[in-house]
Amino acid sequence: MKFSAQKFGTGPQSFPRALRWALLSVVLGSLACRGESEVAHAHPPKSGKGAPSETPRKPEAKPPEPPAAASTQARELSWRFSGHPSGVEQVRVYIPAHAAGQRFPTLIALHGRGESLKGAERGSEGWLLDYALREQLARLQHPPLTRDDFRGLIQADALERINRSLVKEPYRGLVLVFPYVPDRFRGESGWGEAARVAHFFAHTLWPKLREEAPVDGNLAIDGVSLGARLSWMVGCAQPELFRVVSGTQMALIEAEVPYFVERSLRARKRNAKLLFRVVSSDADVFQPVSKALSEALRAASIPHEQRRLRGAHGYRFNRGPGGLEMLLYHDRKLRGLAIISQ
């Protein structure tokens, strides 16, 4: 199905496509240069083990002991894929603390362009370090959350709703996957580059996760800014792989909206249960385009969810409502639970 730019209100542009992409690169570059702050690491305490031994007086058969409630502390893995054609050279994986046999839904979370410029090893730490996700995970395990946890970017009534919901349904945890995102995926050629990343996720990364991590088979993909753009492209290239395809503060220009809608339609034909999700914030520079994308998806009868949070495009948002919303949403959605409304 073909969609014209005029149909979705994007109209012919009065300047060349190359110039539009140059402008988008300037916007992304300026956002990537915003300041950062150090984030404390949360490391689970190590526990020792030991059990008293008993020596019987005579060789009598002892009754079988009940199995121990084995558990594993939260841990992080780092996988290297040097020279892979997708450009994804480094992947970090967070595995929550869990009992023997316990499995979790999985979320692939993609960072923004600021971390792309730091290289594969450092960039793959974007969510855990630069966006303070370790800190957010620790807070979710010890509610109630405070306004400071959201960096002040939340209304009192919304915070109260979240804490009430966490009392009834605590955060259970996700296997979190953080691939390095190279600084690519712009223009029409970006779809071909994204298809290579999608192939890597489907045929290399996901099989490795199923073999080495306690995953339950439910998979979602999300990201912020450039990562949100790639998240949507990957989801459209491998729709059978995912239950949810989401993008937060997506780096997008209005002229691209019809192409994203057309690709979304193709993806839904391959996976009728696939859910799209558009997340923006009130002071985000890309908020008008996120709104246009949501309206175009609705006009094309493509089921999706839309969420508008508070905050601008930058680290404060990522370290506050951006990261917490992402964790809470996918923790519930992939388990079929009610979603918390901010």
Side-chain angles (χ1 to χ4, degrees):
M1 181 180 295
K2 299 292 183 182
F3 289 84
S4 67
Q6 194 169 5
K7 180 176 180 180
F8 289 101
T10 57
Q13 303 299 307
S14 58
F15 46 89
R17 178 172 300 175
L19 180 56
R20 297 199 301 271
W21 278 111
L23 290 173
L24 179 60
S25 297
V26 169
V27 172
L28 286 172
S30 64
L31 294 171
C33 292
R34 294 191 176 183
E36 307 173 25
S37 65
E38 294 182 358
V39 180
H41 290 239
H43 296 289
K46 296 182 179 179
S47 58
K49 59 180 180 179
S53 60
E54 181 180 335
T55 305
R57 294 183 178 178
K58 44 186 178 177
E60 297 176 354
K62 294 173 65 177
E65 297 182 0
S71 62
T72 303
Q73 295 290 335
R75 59 196 177 105
E76 295 177 17
L77 309 175
S78 182
W79 295 337
R80 186 77 178 172
F81 302 91
S82 298
H84 196 278
S86 67
V88 181
E89 298 183 358
Q90 188 89 23
V91 177
R92 294 188 182 273
V93 181
Y94 171 87
I95 299 177
H98 58 282
Q102 185 179 7
R103 295 187 174 274
F104 299 88
T106 305
L107 172 65
I108 296 176
L110 307 179
H111 59 72
R113 184 172 183 253
E115 285 56 60
S116 298
L117 303 179
K118 297 174 183 177
E121 184 171 356
R122 182 63 180 79
S124 64
E125 291 186 305
W127 275 104
L128 289 168
L129 183 60
D130 299 288
Y131 306 166
L133 209 70
R134 289 189 183 98
E135 179 183 324
Q136 293 175 336
L137 287 165
R139 291 296 298 120
L140 283 172
Q141 292 160 5
H142 300 90
L145 302 178
T146 69
R147 196 164 183 268
D148 287 343
D149 294 322
F150 288 85
R151 302 303 198 259
L153 299 173
I154 191 169
Q155 298 285 1
D157 57 344
L159 180 61
E160 184 180 353
R161 284 196 300 273
I162 291 173
N163 282 324
R164 282 202 308 265
S165 177
L166 286 171
V167 171
K168 297 178 182 178
E169 192 64 66
Y171 176 79
R172 299 188 190 184
L174 300 159
V175 170
L176 298 169
V177 186
F178 307 107
Y180 169 68
V181 176
D183 184 20
R184 304 177 184 173
F185 318 111
R186 297 179 181 83
E188 294 181 8
S189 64
W191 286 97
E193 294 171 328
R196 287 192 287 274
V197 175
H199 187 273
F200 167 75
F201 286 173
H203 300 284
T204 301
L205 183 57
W206 185 231
K208 186 174 178 65
L209 284 163
R210 301 196 73 155
E211 182 178 346
E212 301 184 28
V215 301
D216 67 5
N218 293 296
L219 179 62
I221 187 168
D222 208 330
V224 65
S225 193
L226 175 64
R229 177 185 184 85
L230 179 58
S231 170
W232 205 281
M233 289 172 151
V234 166
C236 289
Q238 291 281 348
E240 299 89 349
L241 190 62
F242 303 101
R243 283 187 55 187
V244 180
V245 172
S246 181
T248 301
Q249 296 185 333
M250 189 184 305
L252 194 67
I253 57 176
E254 192 169 357
E256 295 180 291
V257 168
Y259 301 102
F260 273 69
V261 172
E262 182 177 0
R263 298 277 183 159
S264 303
L265 273 173
R266 295 182 195 174
R268 284 279 301 177
K269 289 180 180 179
R270 292 168 57 184
N271 179 4
K273 296 182 179 180
L274 182 65
L275 176 65
F276 289 101
R277 180 170 178 260
V278 181
V279 181
S280 63
S281 58
D282 55 4
D284 177 29
V285 65
F286 293 111
Q287 194 277 329
V289 187
S290 295
K291 181 180 179 182
L293 175 61
S294 181
E295 291 173 350
L297 291 169
R298 190 177 301 112
S301 301
I302 299 176
H304 71 287
E305 297 179 2
Q306 182 184 20
R307 184 70 62 90
R308 183 176 174 180
L309 306 177
R310 297 187 67 195
H313 198 109
Y315 285 95
R316 182 185 175 194
F317 174 84
N318 297 343
R319 295 167 181 165
L324 287 168
E325 160 74 12
M326 180 181 74
L327 292 172
L328 287 169
Y329 175 84
H330 293 289
D331 182 67
R332 281 165 162 71
K333 193 68 177 182
L334 294 176
R335 289 184 168 92
L337 303 175
I339 302 302
I340 305 173
S341 172
Q342 286 195 33

